[in-house]
Amino acid sequence: MSSTQQPSSKKQTLFIASLIILWYSSNIGVLLLNKYLLSNYGFKFPIFLTMCHMSACAFFSYISIVFIKFVPLQPIKSRPQFLKIATLSVVFCCSVVGGNISLRYLPVSFNQAVGATTPFFTALFAYLMTFKREAWVTYATLVPVVTGVVIASGLTFDPADPIGEPGFHWFGFIMCISATAARAFKSVLQGILLSSEGEMLNSMNLLLYMSPIAVLVLVPTALVMEPNVLEVIISLGRQHRYMWLLLFINSTLAYSANLSNFLVTKHTSALTLQVLGNAKGAVAVVISILLFRNPVTAVGIGGYTMTVLGVVAYGEAKRRFR
């Protein structure tokens, strides 16, 4: 009996390892390609780029759920439920657009450091919106999370005295913080709006409904705020023969990141997901520094390390004092 279980166990381990590799490569790949397109390629249209991502998510979600039946289709049952999903979609748009805008101005390493403060904003919004309180130890672990980003940002914010992050940019920092806060707000809001048994949706069905709504919001927004986007993109496509391929790969990876996140969540524990998520951020930082050669300082590395350790401690505290 043990001999038959061993191959099965190995297959399961290999399957989960493959999912994790897909999750890492998709998330890190879309992040680095976003940075390359927005900062190094002359593609300075973060709203249009987000619209491409949402279009790919809408298309692939429809194919995978309706035709392939990857997960059962969960229909929208009422107008109030649709309005709740639409609200989540708008918040989700703001989060993704803000993150993409910040990549125009900030190195990936610093972007990830700021993004790691998501637990701080989640705890803050959970308290303000639902009056949900955590144990004092849990709140204490958020101190190094925020302190680490402050240290990594630079102690003086003086361009002539770059103590912390050499690539610091105020507008990029504000957009990154806003995107991180919006991501946390969406998480808390989702728990409030779709909490009833009849309205709960798995992440893939939620993506299926949110993506088209996001596209409808982003198309007019891009045309108004990025009025020459089509002209410049067509010109770039003529100058760079691989631009359309890069845009397609980038958009496909955006869907793959959501799909792999769903699968890893389904086949591993919450604790494993937390640990893998923290490690993923560190891997993205190392790869981005090697690829883009952005300068870093010992203080910046120390600040980011403090933030990651704070996030790890926060996850452990929530698990113990649940």
Side-chain angles (χ1 to χ4, degrees):
M1 186 172 180
S2 60
S3 60
T4 58
Q5 287 180 344
Q6 192 171 4
S8 177
S9 177
K10 286 184 177 180
K11 285 182 179 180
Q12 180 70 7
T13 302
L14 184 61
F15 175 69
I16 293 175
S18 300
L19 290 180
I20 293 170
I21 292 172
L22 176 64
W23 185 44
Y24 268 49
S25 57
S26 298
N27 279 272
I28 296 173
V30 73
L31 178 67
L32 297 179
L33 263 178
N34 283 349
K35 176 64 178 176
Y36 178 69
L37 287 169
L38 293 168
S39 297
N40 299 66
Y41 203 75
F43 189 97
K44 300 179 180 180
F45 304 104
I47 299 176
F48 184 83
L49 182 63
T50 306
M51 189 270 292
C52 292
H53 290 177
M54 293 298 102
S55 299
C57 287
F59 174 76
F60 288 120
S61 293
Y62 186 80
I63 295 297
S64 62
I65 294 177
V66 175
F67 289 101
I68 302 177
K69 301 188 184 304
F70 189 75
V71 294
L73 175 65
Q74 297 175 287
I76 296 177
K77 298 179 180 179
S78 64
R79 178 183 172 85
Q81 185 186 18
F82 171 77
L83 293 176
K84 292 174 182 179
I85 294 171
T87 303
L88 289 174
S89 181
V90 173
V91 177
F92 182 54
C93 276
C94 294
S95 171
V96 179
V97 169
N100 285 338
I101 291 175
S102 72
L103 285 172
R104 280 192 61 190
Y105 303 96
L106 297 176
V108 173
S109 53
F110 187 56
N111 176 279
Q112 289 295 286
V114 176
T117 62
T118 301
F120 167 77
F121 290 104
T122 302
L124 177 64
F125 286 128
Y127 178 75
L128 294 176
M129 297 168 66
T130 67
F131 302 104
K132 178 184 177 183
R133 293 187 179 185
E134 304 285 355
W136 69 267
V137 177
T138 305
Y139 288 122
T141 60
L142 294 173
V143 175
V145 171
V146 177
T147 304
V149 171
V150 173
I151 293 173
S153 302
L155 301 179
T156 64
F157 299 111
D158 182 0
D161 182 26
I163 294 178
E165 174 56 52
F168 183 85
H169 189 284
W170 267 112
F171 179 69
F173 176 70
I174 291 170
M175 293 308 299
C176 197
I177 280 286
S178 300
T180 303
R183 185 161 56 246
F185 180 69
K186 184 248 176 188
S187 175
V188 176
L189 190 64
Q190 182 175 332
I192 296 173
L193 296 182
L194 302 177
S195 58
S196 66
E197 189 67 30
E199 293 184 335
M200 289 180 66
L201 299 172
N202 62 49
S203 61
M204 297 311 297
N205 273 273
L206 186 60
L207 185 66
L208 171 69
Y209 296 122
M210 286 199 309
S211 302
I213 298 172
V215 173
L216 293 177
V217 172
L218 290 168
V219 168
T221 305
L223 292 176
V224 171
M225 300 187 69
E226 300 170 342
N228 62 334
V229 58
L230 295 177
E231 180 184 344
V232 175
I233 286 175
I234 292 172
S235 176
L236 280 173
R238 289 171 180 169
Q239 295 173 28
H240 307 281
R241 57 186 297 188
Y242 295 113
M243 193 209 72
W244 296 110
L245 178 61
L246 286 175
L247 198 57
F248 174 76
I249 293 173
N250 182 248
S251 301
T252 303
L253 284 174
Y255 172 74
S256 178
N258 285 282
L259 174 63
S260 56
N261 183 75
F262 170 77
L263 291 174
V264 171
T265 305
K266 181 179 178 181
H267 291 280
T268 63
S269 66
L271 179 60
T272 302
L273 192 69
Q274 178 77 24
V275 173
L276 290 173
N278 295 331
K280 177 171 62 66
V283 172
V285 167
V286 172
I287 294 176
S288 70
I289 291 172
L290 293 175
L291 285 179
F292 297 109
R293 307 287 183 182
N294 56 282
V296 292
T297 65
V299 173
I301 293 173
Y304 177 67
T305 302
M306 180 183 293
T307 295
V308 172
L309 292 176
V311 172
V312 172
Y314 171 80
E316 181 64 19
K318 283 208 68 170
R319 188 178 67 85
R320 291 192 177 189
F321 296 97
R322 189 181 298 274

